Amino acid sequence: MTQNADNVLDHFELFRGPEYQQMLEAKKKMFENPHDPAEVERVREWAKTEEYKEKNFAREALTVNPAKACQPLGAVFAAVGFEGTIPFVHGSQGCVAYYRSHLSRHFKEPSSCVSSSMTEDAAVFGGLNNMVDGLANTYNLYKPKMIAVSTTCMAEVIGDDLNAFIKTAKEKESVPAEFDVPFAHTPAFVGSHVTGYDNALKGIIEHFWDGKAGTTEKLERKPNDTINFIGGFDGYTVGNMREIRRIFDLMGVEHTILCDNSDVFDTPTDGEFRMYDGGTTLEDAANAIHAKATISMQQYCTEKTLPVIKAHGQEVASFNHPVGVASTDAFLMEVARLTGKEIPEELARERGRLVDAIADSSAHIHGKKFAIYGDPDLCLGLAAFLLELGAEPTHILATNGTKGWAKQVQELLDSSPFGQDCHVYAGKDLWHMRSLLFTEPVDFLIGNTYGKYLERDTGTPLIRIGFPVFDRHHHHRRPVWGYQGSMNVLITILDKIFDEIDRNTNVPAKTDYSFDIIR
């Protein structure tokens, strides 16, 4: 074989060796039921046509590569945002391995989570014994301050009652009676990861504010001047949470960040393993009931949570992953209104720098066509920023978008002359996006790592913004909120534009008349 101990080849080169090429060709002929190459090519070309797009958009019973994940992933993400909290997923081990690996591959950090390890017997007789033993093991092995329980498909299909199971486990002394075990039902076969985040956060808030699932009296609200902040399911939580804290500190705003997982997904390498790091303290989570107001940075991540908070007497406000000048203006002015604090000169200067940067680069981005996919709030925030830049968000797609979301996006598009030829697609997937990129091509595609296959198939350059980003490192450490974060998004977009200009003008004596040093 081409691999040997004296000259170890990376897989990039290894699988191109003759032995591997012969093996792969034989495998294809013997086991993959190959078709005539000419027929394969004919179908490939047909799948790029308007006729195929019509058939593609007519399908109802099949989803191909959805741009979303399932509810328990969002529940796990929410749980680790609280001090000393370990997520406990009532379901199978395989499901939990997926959530952990998904988060670890994006944040490049260990992701701790336990499972009740349901198997065939639990699927038939129920998972009560798994819950009783699992909570006891988790409490004794990992010494958490709180265990946040959610569910997978298996537990939901058979109808396991989390509230009853947790009470029984406490009666059997798996955990102390007063130990915090909030829960949320998060069936993976409906909704998405943003729904799971919402359900889990709602469950935690109700646990602390409404009497710990009946074990203590409800808290009496005593209003103060603090505000609560909720970031939502956010692949940039490390950079964004630190930027939000910086902004609040500059404004002198007393605040509590509910679900702050910026530290646990950014632990240092210093010889100490931190299963738990940072997070909203449990005391702060309980005392958050007394806040004057709560701000959600992502409306569609808190559709159930905000009504619960509002019912407790707080004013609530929500945004849609605000990126850009106008969106950041709206966020800061709302903070100023709610708190009575002035927007400091330092933030005003950051705003001016962002406006200056946009003006410097407008000639390169103005009129460019973009396709966007991702979570509903992210798509709205990016679309608003592109319109602000004079670009055209031609295709806006969210697999977990609703009709209400689509209406909101359409209103945004109608508000700008750059949105007149743009369209919104709620509930569609990346195979739909593939048809759109072939039949109504754009200049650039914005989305997560999975868009690289669309980039390869359609030739549309991919700008990686969203969750997950597996094949690039450390993007999550930079903020994308605030004026500083918006600058990062602008630079990311412009870098790709300039890379493409260089790539298309680098043939000597043929196209290099635009291969310029200065852009």
Side-chain angles (χ1 to χ4, degrees):
M1 301 295 284
T2 52
Q3 189 71 286
N4 65 76
D6 295 327
N7 183 26
V8 177
L9 298 178
D10 192 276
H11 62 92
F12 298 116
E13 297 297 330
L14 178 64
F15 296 127
R16 297 175 186 179
E19 297 93 340
Y20 281 99
Q21 289 297 303
Q22 291 172 13
M23 181 184 69
L24 293 171
E25 186 63 28
K27 174 178 175 290
K28 185 175 182 179
K29 290 179 180 179
M30 296 172 63
F31 302 110
E32 296 182 8
N33 191 27
H35 293 271
D36 178 54
E39 176 64 8
V40 171
E41 187 60 27
R42 184 193 69 80
V43 173
R44 190 201 312 275
E45 290 302 313
W46 174 66
K48 302 176 182 179
T49 64
E50 187 71 32
E51 177 189 8
Y52 181 84
K53 186 184 83 170
E54 292 179 7
K55 294 181 180 295
N56 189 13
F57 272 75
R59 60 183 161 91
E60 297 178 355
L62 175 68
T63 299
V64 183
N65 201 6
K68 66 171 187 174
C70 59
Q71 280 204 53
L73 176 69
V76 170
F77 182 90
V80 299
F82 291 86
E83 172 195 29
T85 299
I86 191 162
F88 181 105
V89 182
H90 186 46
S92 67
Q93 287 183 339
C95 293
V96 173
Y98 158 70
Y99 315 138
R100 295 180 65 188
S101 64
H102 220 61
L103 294 169
S104 292
R105 289 167 179 170
H106 176 84
F107 291 109
K108 310 304 181 206
E109 290 286 338
S111 179
S112 298
C113 178
V114 296
S115 166
S116 61
S117 301
M118 291 177 67
T119 53
E120 290 84 352
D121 58 340
V124 175
F125 301 109
L128 175 58
N129 290 334
N130 298 71
M131 177 71 74
V132 171
D133 293 341
L135 287 178
N137 290 335
T138 302
Y139 178 77
N140 288 295
L141 286 173
Y142 304 120
K143 313 299 183 190
K145 294 183 177 180
M146 182 166 78
I147 301 172
V149 179
S150 56
T151 54
T152 67
C153 298
M154 182 187 296
E156 292 295 330
V157 167
I158 63 176
D160 279 1
D161 185 340
L162 292 184
N163 188 31
F165 282 16
I166 292 169
K167 287 181 177 178
T168 301
K170 288 187 173 184
E171 290 171 359
K172 292 179 178 291
E173 299 183 343
S174 295
V175 296
E178 294 300 314
F179 187 78
D180 292 308
V181 189
F183 66 90
H185 287 274
T186 54
F189 44 77
V190 294
S192 70
H193 55 288
V194 301
T195 320
Y197 175 95
D198 193 12
N199 285 332
L201 184 57
K202 171 176 170 286
I204 292 171
I205 287 174
E206 288 178 330
H207 171 81
F208 283 107
W209 295 7
D210 293 339
K212 297 189 177 183
T215 60
T216 60
E217 293 183 2
K218 292 185 178 181
L219 292 176
E220 179 184 352
R221 183 167 181 264
K222 300 175 182 178
N224 56 37
D225 290 329
T226 64
I227 63 168
N228 300 323
F229 178 87
I230 301 173
F233 190 100
D234 176 26
Y236 298 89
T237 185
V238 171
N240 277 341
M241 288 301 184
R242 291 169 184 169
E243 179 66 9
I244 291 299
R245 280 197 294 269
R246 185 185 72 89
I247 290 172
F248 283 164
D249 288 344
L250 285 173
M251 295 182 67
V253 172
E254 292 186 46
H255 64 279
T256 297
I257 294 179
L258 290 172
C259 182
D260 181 3
N261 42 31
S262 58
D263 286 338
V264 76
F265 287 134
D266 192 29
T267 59
T269 296
D270 57 3
E272 177 187 352
F273 170 64
R274 296 168 174 83
M275 178 174 285
Y276 316 108
D277 197 22
T280 307
T281 67
L282 304 190
E283 181 181 6
D284 284 348
N287 289 333
I289 191 175
H290 307 305
K292 180 180 183 180
T294 295
I295 294 175
S296 168
M297 213 61 156
Q298 298 194 72
Q299 170 191 349
Y300 292 98
C301 289
T302 50
E303 289 185 292
K304 296 179 182 178
T305 300
L306 286 189
V308 168
I309 294 174
K310 186 175 182 180
H312 283 81
Q314 292 188 26
E315 186 172 354
V316 297
S318 61
F319 297 88
N320 301 110
H321 204 287
V323 181
V325 179
S327 296
T328 305
D329 287 352
F331 167 65
L332 292 179
M333 287 189 290
E334 184 66 5
V335 173
R337 183 189 71 80
L338 290 170
T339 63
K341 301 290 185 178
E342 296 290 330
I343 299 173
E345 177 63 21
E346 183 170 343
L347 291 178
R349 289 177 66 83
E350 289 176 13
R351 182 186 191 276
R353 295 184 189 114
L354 176 60
V355 172
D356 181 65
I358 292 171
D360 290 343
S361 307
S362 62
H364 292 282
I365 199 168
H366 186 278
K368 292 288 192 298
K369 294 180 181 292
F370 291 80
I372 308 169
Y373 70 88
D375 290 338
D377 291 293
L378 176 65
C379 288
L380 266 164
L382 291 175
F385 189 36
L386 289 173
L387 292 172
E388 188 172 74
L389 296 173
E392 299 178 23
T394 306
H395 308 305
I396 305 169
L397 182 150
T399 305
N400 48 357
T402 62
K403 291 181 179 179
W405 169 80
K407 181 180 178 181
Q408 189 176 355
V409 177
Q410 191 59 55
E411 290 173 353
L412 172 66
L413 297 175
D414 292 342
S415 69
S416 170
F418 301 106
Q420 300 312 301
D421 296 321
C422 303
H423 304 281
V424 56
Y425 304 93
K428 302 303 181 183
D429 54 45
L430 295 189
W431 197 252
H432 292 111
M433 179 64 84
R434 182 180 184 275
S435 285
L436 291 170
L437 295 179
F438 276 125
T439 58
E440 302 171 57
V442 297
D443 298 303
F444 296 93
L445 173 67
I446 299 180
N448 61 25
T449 283
Y450 293 106
K452 72 186 302 177
Y453 299 106
L454 294 174
E455 181 178 39
R456 181 184 63 182
D457 285 357
T458 70
T460 310
L462 172 65
I463 300 170
R464 289 165 174 79
I465 299 177
F467 177 91
V469 175
F470 293 152
D471 60 339
R472 300 292 186 272
H473 291 199
H474 310 304
H475 289 200
H476 63 277
R477 302 179 192 277
R478 300 180 300 182
V480 297
W481 291 340
Y483 301 122
Q484 299 274 57
S486 301
M487 183 78 79
N488 289 334
V489 175
L490 175 65
I491 292 169
T492 298
I493 293 171
L494 287 168
D495 279 351
K496 192 66 173 185
I497 291 174
F498 294 137
D499 284 344
E500 285 302 301
I501 292 175
D502 286 346
R503 190 178 66 84
N504 292 318
T505 59
N506 63 1
V507 180
K510 290 187 177 181
T511 64
D512 64 342
Y513 45 80
S514 294
F515 194 68
D516 298 331
I517 295 296
I518 300 171
R519 297 291 187 196

